[in-house]
Amino acid sequence: MSEAKKIEGRVRLLNVRLAFPQLFQAKAVNDGDKPAFSASLLIKPDDPQVKTIVGAIEDAALRKWSTKATPMLNQLKATDKVCLHNGDLKSQYAGFEGMLYVSARNGTKPLVLDRDRTKIVSEALGRPYGGCYVNCDVDIYAQDNKYGKRINATLVAVQFSKDGDAFAGGAPADPESFDDLGDTGEGAVEGDSAAALW
């Protein structure tokens, strides 16, 4: 079973499942929102990393609200204003039912890495994708300003860990599943073209 590691105030989550990744281009969720990079990180309720996440949430509340931390945190949980959510509330989406998830955002592009720690700079590589497994660094902090009170998670870094069943559009394409037709042109139909298919 994977374990979370705390690194300089950050929580590192290992082998969590990635959903709704917006890692390479910032996007506004609602009209008037600032565009942001974001992801949902799915985790089993019995994963020991949940205890680390909960501890980080409690620490953030304590730092912000001191003696009022417990009642404030209870109020935020009751109104779903904490970054750790019940996946059953999004059971209409594949992979969420029976799970917990951390919603994380960042106005700045997070670091995105492949398994070998090389940087992934665009979606062209085809990973990470919704449904794969990743390692992530998130900063958990308390918000108390004109926009309201919440416990948020900042998406700092994402590392592709392993493949999983893709949530949308099927599994990633595998070029090895096609035959090598060479340069003979065999199999082409005279006059056939992409335009003709439409």
Side-chain angles (χ1 to χ4, degrees), residues 4-187:
K5 297 177 184 176
K6 272 243 174 123
I7 301 175
E8 297 177 1
R10 290 180 178 166
V11 176
R12 176 162 292 174
L13 302 174
L14 304 176
N15 289 310
V16 292
R17 202 162 181 207
L18 183 66
F20 299 116
Q22 198 67 38
L23 304 178
F24 301 103
Q25 185 174 356
K27 181 180 178 182
V29 176
N30 301 305
D31 289 340
D33 287 354
K34 287 185 178 179
F37 302 90
S38 60
S40 293
L41 309 169
L42 294 164
I43 187 167
K44 291 181 180 177
D46 62 352
D47 190 312
Q49 297 182 109
V50 172
K51 185 177 179 182
T52 303
I53 298 165
V54 170
I57 288 169
E58 291 172 349
D59 288 348
L62 191 59
R63 285 193 302 271
K64 179 62 79 175
W65 296 298
S66 186
T67 57
K68 297 179 181 178
T70 299
M72 179 60 69
L73 194 50
N74 288 338
Q75 180 183 339
L76 295 176
K77 286 178 184 175
T79 53
D80 197 31
K81 293 183 178 177
V82 177
C83 60
L84 181 64
H85 306 274
N86 181 346
D88 288 340
L89 299 177
K90 280 196 171 186
S91 61
Q92 71 270 31
Y93 299 112
F96 279 77
E97 190 171 358
M99 302 289 280
L100 297 175
Y101 71 96
V102 175
S103 57
R105 297 170 51 84
N106 197 338
T108 303
K109 184 179 181 299
L111 176 66
V112 183
L113 301 173
D114 211 341
R115 287 181 56 86
D116 62 0
R117 296 186 297 179
T118 57
K119 286 185 182 179
I120 301 175
V121 296
S122 76
E123 294 175 339
L125 191 62
R127 61 180 182 267
Y129 55 88
C132 78
Y133 291 83
V134 294
N135 301 325
C136 288
D137 280 355
V138 295
D139 282 343
I140 294 177
Y141 68 96
Q143 169 189 314
D144 189 347
N145 56 29
K146 65 180 181 178
Y147 300 108
K149 298 177 173 66
R150 305 182 68 91
I151 302 289
N152 297 323
T154 300
L155 185 63
V156 178
V158 179
Q159 181 187 33
F160 175 77
S161 174
K162 64 182 180 179
D163 286 313
D165 291 333
F167 285 143
D174 179 9
E176 299 298 320
S177 66
F178 287 87
D179 293 332
D180 182 352
L181 300 179
D183 290 332
T184 64
E186 288 182 24

